[in-house]
């Protein structure tokens, strides 16, 4: 079996599914074209970087179709709507270890989906607009059993932990 990435009409060569795929996208306007991606289309995608995509304001449902995703970096993006993560079925991102929302100034609160990331080890929120961390308190005990790093540097809006 093979996986391929197609963006703006250009297709990368098919890759064996056992290959590790790293996709970095900078400065795109929207990612809605990926909504049509069939489940399992990118079984080998382990790293998705959407750094500096300032016009991408919300995540879409296709994110839950990346079963091997270990690292999601949204640093310095315009993301503000994380509701697609709320809509994902539990277990949609079973291997996600790193989530970076550094300098995502429009992300103001964390939500229930955080408790559905059993492999999460590192959460970067430095310089983000996060002010409400109550979702961390509302999670069931043991929801983030592997969390080692929570980076809140320069989060000037956080009132209390």
């Amino acid at each position: 079996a093979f996986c391929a990435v197609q963006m703006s009409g250009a297709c990368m060569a098919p890759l064996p599914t056992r290959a590790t795929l790293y996709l970095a996208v900078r400065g795109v306007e929207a990612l809605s074209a990926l909504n049509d991606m069939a489940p399992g289309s990118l079984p080998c995608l382990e790293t998705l970087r959407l750094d500096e995509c300032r016009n991408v304001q919300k995540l879409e449902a296709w994110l839950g179709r990346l079963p091997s995703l270990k690292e999601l970096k949204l640093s310095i993006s315009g993301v503000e709507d994380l509701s697609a993560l709320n809509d994902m079925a539990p277990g949609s991102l079973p291997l996600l270890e790193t989530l970076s929302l550094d300098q995502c100034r429009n992300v103001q609160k964390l939500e229930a989906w955080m408790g559905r990331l059993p492999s999460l080890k590192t959460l970067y929120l430095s310089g983000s607009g996060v002010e409400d961390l109550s979702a961390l308190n509302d999670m069931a005990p043991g929801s983030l059993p592997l969390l080692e790093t929570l980076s809140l540097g320069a989060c000037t809006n956080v009132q209390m932990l």
Side-chain angles (χ1 to χ4, degrees):
F2 293 88
C3 67
V5 176
Q6 185 171 357
M7 296 190 78
S8 303
C11 186
M12 292 173 51
L15 300 168
T17 55
R18 66 183 176 275
T20 299
L21 184 59
Y22 171 94
L23 178 61
V25 180
R26 288 183 180 256
V28 297
E29 296 289 322
L31 298 169
S32 56
L34 294 174
N35 280 332
D36 298 330
M37 182 174 65
S41 296
L42 296 171
C44 52
L45 185 65
E46 290 187 4
T47 300
L48 178 60
R49 293 188 65 157
L50 302 173
D51 299 332
E52 298 180 34
C53 294
R54 290 180 177 92
N55 293 320
V56 174
Q57 296 181 345
K58 70 179 195 168
L59 298 180
E60 306 281 349
W62 56 265
L63 189 60
R65 297 185 212 128
L66 302 173
S68 298
L69 194 65
K70 291 183 180 180
E71 183 176 29
L72 176 59
K73 291 195 169 216
L74 302 166
S75 301
I76 317 173
S77 71
V79 170
E80 60 187 57
D81 184 354
L82 298 172
S83 61
L85 297 173
N86 271 334
D87 297 337
M88 286 190 311
S92 294
L93 295 172
L95 303 178
L96 190 68
E97 296 177 355
T98 302
L99 176 59
S100 178
L101 296 168
D102 284 340
Q103 297 183 40
C104 290
R105 302 195 192 289
N106 296 324
V107 174
Q108 296 181 351
K109 66 179 184 172
L110 301 180
E111 299 185 36
W113 54 265
M114 288 290 303
R116 294 188 220 135
L117 301 173
S119 299
L120 193 66
K121 292 180 181 178
T122 307
L123 177 59
Y124 294 110
L125 297 170
S126 296
S128 70
V130 170
E131 54 190 52
D132 183 358
L133 295 172
S134 62
L136 295 176
N137 290 328
D138 296 340
M139 284 183 217
S143 293
L144 295 173
L146 302 178
L147 189 65
E148 298 171 350
T149 304
L150 174 60
S151 175
L152 294 169
C155 286
T156 57
N157 296 328
V158 173
Q159 300 298 316
M160 65 179 186
L161 294 175

